Structure formats: structure tokens, C-alpha cells
Coordinates of all heavy atoms in Angstrom, one line a residue:
H1 N 53.9 -51.9 1.3 CA 53.0 -52.2 0.3 C 52.0 -53.4 0.5 O 50.9 -53.4 0.3 CB 53.9 -52.5 -1.0 CG 54.3 -51.3 -1.7 ND1 53.5 -50.2 -1.9 CD2 55.5 -51.1 -2.3 CE1 54.1 -49.4 -2.8 NE2 55.3 -49.8 -3.0
W2 N 52.6 -54.5 1.2 CA 51.9 -55.6 1.5 C 50.9 -55.3 2.5 O 49.7 -55.8 2.5 CB 52.8 -56.7 2.0 CG 52.2 -58.0 2.4 CD1 51.8 -58.5 3.6 CD2 51.8 -59.0 1.5 NE1 51.3 -59.6 3.6 CE2 51.2 -60.0 2.3 CE3 51.8 -59.2 0.1 CZ2 50.7 -61.2 1.6 CZ3 51.3 -60.3 -0.6 CH2 50.7 -61.4 0.2
D3 N 51.2 -54.5 3.5 CA 50.3 -54.1 4.6 C 49.2 -53.2 4.3 O 48.1 -53.4 4.7 CB 51.1 -53.5 5.8 CG 50.2 -53.3 7.1 OD1 50.0 -54.3 7.7 OD2 50.0 -52.1 7.4
K4 N 49.6 -52.2 3.3 CA 48.7 -51.2 3.1 C 47.9 -51.2 1.7 O 46.8 -50.6 1.5 CB 49.3 -49.8 3.1 CG 49.9 -49.5 4.5 CD 48.8 -49.3 5.6 CE 49.3 -49.0 6.9 NZ 48.2 -49.1 8.0
H5 N 48.4 -52.0 0.8 CA 48.0 -52.0 -0.7 C 47.6 -53.1 -1.2 O 47.4 -53.2 -2.4 CB 49.1 -51.2 -1.5 CG 49.6 -49.9 -0.9 ND1 50.9 -49.6 -0.7 CD2 48.9 -48.9 -0.3 CE1 51.0 -48.3 -0.2 NE2 49.7 -48.0 0.0
R6 N 47.3 -54.2 -0.5 CA 46.8 -55.4 -0.9 C 45.3 -55.2 -1.6 O 44.9 -55.9 -2.5 CB 46.9 -56.6 0.0 CG 48.2 -57.3 0.0 CD 48.1 -58.5 1.0 NE 47.9 -58.0 2.3 CZ 47.6 -58.8 3.3 NH1 47.2 -60.1 3.2 NH2 47.4 -58.4 4.6
K7 N 44.8 -54.5 -1.0 CA 43.2 -54.2 -1.4 C 43.2 -53.5 -2.7 O 42.4 -53.8 -3.6 CB 42.4 -53.4 -0.3 CG 42.2 -54.4 0.8 CD 41.5 -53.6 2.1 CE 41.4 -54.6 3.2 NZ 40.8 -53.9 4.4
A8 N 44.1 -52.5 -2.8 CA 44.1 -51.9 -4.2 C 44.6 -52.7 -5.2 O 44.2 -52.8 -6.3 CB 45.2 -50.6 -4.1
F9 N 45.5 -53.8 -4.9 CA 45.9 -54.7 -5.8 C 44.9 -55.7 -6.2 O 44.7 -56.1 -7.4 CB 47.2 -55.4 -5.2 CG 47.7 -56.3 -6.2 CD1 48.6 -56.0 -7.3 CD2 47.5 -57.7 -6.1 CE1 49.1 -56.9 -8.2 CE2 48.0 -58.6 -7.1 CZ 48.8 -58.2 -8.1
E10 N 44.1 -56.1 -5.2 CA 43.0 -56.9 -5.5 C 41.9 -56.4 -6.3 O 41.3 -57.0 -7.1 CB 42.3 -57.4 -4.2 CG 43.2 -58.5 -3.3 CD 43.3 -59.7 -4.2 OE1 42.5 -60.2 -4.9 OE2 44.7 -60.2 -4.0
L11 N 41.7 -55.1 -6.2 CA 40.8 -54.4 -7.2 C 41.4 -54.5 -8.6 O 40.6 -54.7 -9.5 CB 40.6 -52.9 -6.7 CG 39.8 -52.0 -7.6 CD1 38.4 -52.6 -7.8 CD2 39.9 -50.6 -7.2
E12 N 42.6 -54.3 -8.7 CA 43.3 -54.5 -10.0 C 43.1 -55.9 -10.6 O 42.8 -56.0 -11.7 CB 44.8 -54.2 -9.9 CG 45.6 -54.5 -11.0 CD 45.3 -53.5 -12.3 OE1 44.8 -52.5 -12.0 OE2 45.5 -54.0 -13.4
R13 N 43.1 -56.9 -9.7 CA 42.9 -58.2 -10.1 C 41.4 -58.5 -10.5 O 41.1 -59.3 -11.3 CB 43.3 -59.2 -9.1 CG 45.0 -59.4 -9.1 CD 45.4 -60.3 -7.9 NE 44.7 -61.6 -7.9 CZ 45.1 -62.7 -8.7 NH1 46.1 -62.4 -9.5 NH2 44.5 -63.8 -8.6
L14 N 40.5 -57.7 -9.8 CA 39.1 -57.9 -10.3 C 39.0 -57.5 -11.7 O 38.1 -57.9 -12.5 CB 38.2 -57.1 -9.4 CG 38.2 -57.5 -7.9 CD1 37.4 -56.6 -7.1 CD2 37.5 -59.0 -7.9
Y15 N 39.8 -56.5 -12.2 CA 39.8 -56.0 -13.5 C 40.6 -56.8 -14.3 O 40.4 -57.1 -15.5 CB 40.2 -54.5 -13.7 CG 39.2 -53.5 -13.2 CD1 39.1 -53.0 -12.0 CD2 38.3 -53.0 -14.3 CE1 38.1 -52.1 -11.7 CE2 37.4 -52.0 -13.9 CZ 37.3 -51.6 -12.6 OH 36.4 -50.6 -12.3
N16 N 41.8 -57.2 -13.8 CA 42.9 -57.8 -14.7 C 43.4 -59.0 -13.8 O 44.3 -58.9 -13.0 CB 44.0 -56.9 -15.0 CG 45.1 -57.6 -15.7 OD1 45.1 -58.7 -16.2 ND2 46.2 -56.9 -15.7
E17 N 42.9 -60.3 -14.1 CA 43.3 -61.4 -13.3 C 44.8 -61.8 -13.5 O 45.4 -62.6 -12.7 CB 42.5 -62.7 -13.7 CG 42.6 -63.2 -15.1 CD 41.8 -64.4 -15.4 OE1 40.9 -64.4 -14.7 OE2 42.0 -64.9 -16.6
N18 N 45.5 -61.3 -14.5 CA 46.9 -61.6 -14.7 C 47.9 -60.5 -13.9 O 49.1 -60.8 -13.9 CB 47.3 -61.5 -16.1 CG 46.6 -62.5 -17.0 OD1 46.4 -63.6 -16.6 ND2 46.1 -62.1 -18.1
A19 N 47.3 -59.7 -13.3 CA 48.2 -58.7 -12.4 C 48.8 -59.5 -11.3 O 48.1 -60.4 -10.7 CB 47.3 -57.6 -11.9
A20 N 50.0 -59.2 -11.0 CA 50.8 -60.0 -10.0 C 51.6 -59.3 -9.0 O 51.9 -59.7 -7.9 CB 51.6 -61.1 -10.7
Q21 N 52.3 -58.1 -9.5 CA 53.2 -57.4 -8.7 C 53.2 -55.9 -8.9 O 52.7 -55.3 -9.9 CB 54.6 -58.1 -9.0 CG 55.3 -57.5 -10.4 CD 54.8 -58.2 -11.5 OE1 54.3 -59.3 -11.4 NE2 55.0 -57.5 -12.6
I22 N 54.0 -55.4 -7.9 CA 54.3 -53.8 -8.1 C 55.9 -53.8 -8.2 O 56.6 -54.5 -7.4 CB 53.8 -53.0 -6.9 CG1 52.4 -52.9 -6.9 CG2 54.4 -51.7 -6.8 CD1 51.8 -52.2 -5.7
K23 N 56.3 -53.2 -9.2 CA 57.7 -52.9 -9.3 C 58.1 -51.3 -8.9 O 57.5 -50.5 -9.4 CB 58.2 -53.0 -10.8 CG 58.1 -54.4 -11.2 CD 58.6 -54.5 -12.8 CE 58.4 -55.9 -13.3 NZ 58.9 -56.0 -14.7
C24 N 59.1 -51.4 -7.9 CA 59.5 -50.0 -7.3 C 60.8 -49.6 -7.9 O 61.8 -50.4 -7.7 CB 59.4 -50.2 -5.9 SG 57.8 -50.4 -5.2
Q25 N 60.9 -48.5 -8.5 CA 62.1 -48.0 -9.0 C 63.0 -47.5 -7.9 O 62.7 -47.3 -6.9 CB 61.8 -46.9 -10.0 CG 61.2 -47.4 -11.4 CD 61.1 -46.4 -12.4 OE1 60.6 -45.3 -12.1 NE2 61.6 -46.5 -13.6
V26 N 64.4 -47.3 -8.3 CA 65.5 -46.9 -7.3 C 65.1 -45.8 -6.5 O 65.2 -45.9 -5.2 CB 66.7 -46.9 -8.0 CG1 67.7 -46.3 -7.1 CG2 67.2 -48.2 -8.7
V27 N 64.5 -44.7 -7.1 CA 64.4 -43.5 -6.4 C 62.9 -43.4 -5.8 O 62.5 -42.5 -5.1 CB 64.5 -42.3 -7.2 CG1 65.9 -42.2 -7.7 CG2 63.5 -42.2 -8.3
G28 N 62.2 -44.6 -5.9 CA 61.0 -44.7 -5.1 C 59.7 -44.5 -6.0 O 58.7 -44.7 -5.4
G29 N 59.8 -44.3 -7.2 CA 58.6 -44.3 -8.1 C 58.1 -45.8 -8.4 O 58.8 -46.8 -8.2
I30 N 57.0 -45.8 -9.1 CA 56.5 -47.1 -9.7 C 56.7 -47.2 -11.2 O 56.5 -46.3 -11.8 CB 55.0 -47.3 -9.4 CG1 54.8 -47.5 -7.9 CG2 54.4 -48.4 -10.1 CD1 53.4 -47.9 -7.5
K31 N 57.2 -48.3 -11.6 CA 57.6 -48.4 -13.1 C 56.2 -48.2 -13.8 O 55.1 -48.7 -13.6 CB 58.0 -49.8 -13.3 CG 58.6 -49.9 -14.6 CD 59.2 -51.4 -14.7 CE 59.9 -51.7 -16.1 NZ 61.2 -50.7 -16.2
D32 N 56.3 -47.3 -14.9 CA 55.2 -46.9 -15.7 C 54.2 -46.2 -15.0 O 53.1 -46.0 -15.5 CB 54.6 -48.1 -16.4 CG 55.6 -48.9 -17.2 OD1 56.5 -48.3 -17.9 OD2 55.5 -50.1 -17.2

């Protein structure tokens, strides 16, 4: 996630400056 998805996350922060993390569920999904 850190290597491949920081840019997607930074895009999220451009929309929502309070975004901070990705939560990964036990079987591999993303929360919500």
C-alpha cells in the first residue's frame, strides 16, 4: 500500500485533508 497507493491517498487528501489511513480487514478487504 505504501509503495503503490500513496498517490491515490494524496488525491484523497486533496479532497479531504483529514484523511490519514487505510484499514485492511482480516480477509483482505478495506473497511467500508
Side-chain angles (χ1 to χ4, degrees):
H1 277 318
W2 181 262
D3 186 70
K4 298 296 177 190
H5 304 137
R6 276 186 292 164
K7 289 173 181 174
F9 183 78
E10 285 303 320
L11 175 60
E12 172 70 19
R13 280 175 59 80
L14 291 174
Y15 279 96
N16 172 21
E17 63 181 13
N18 294 320
Q21 80 278 337
I22 291 178
K23 293 181 178 180
C24 299
Q25 291 183 303
V26 171
V27 298
I30 283 187
K31 195 173 182 64
D32 302 324

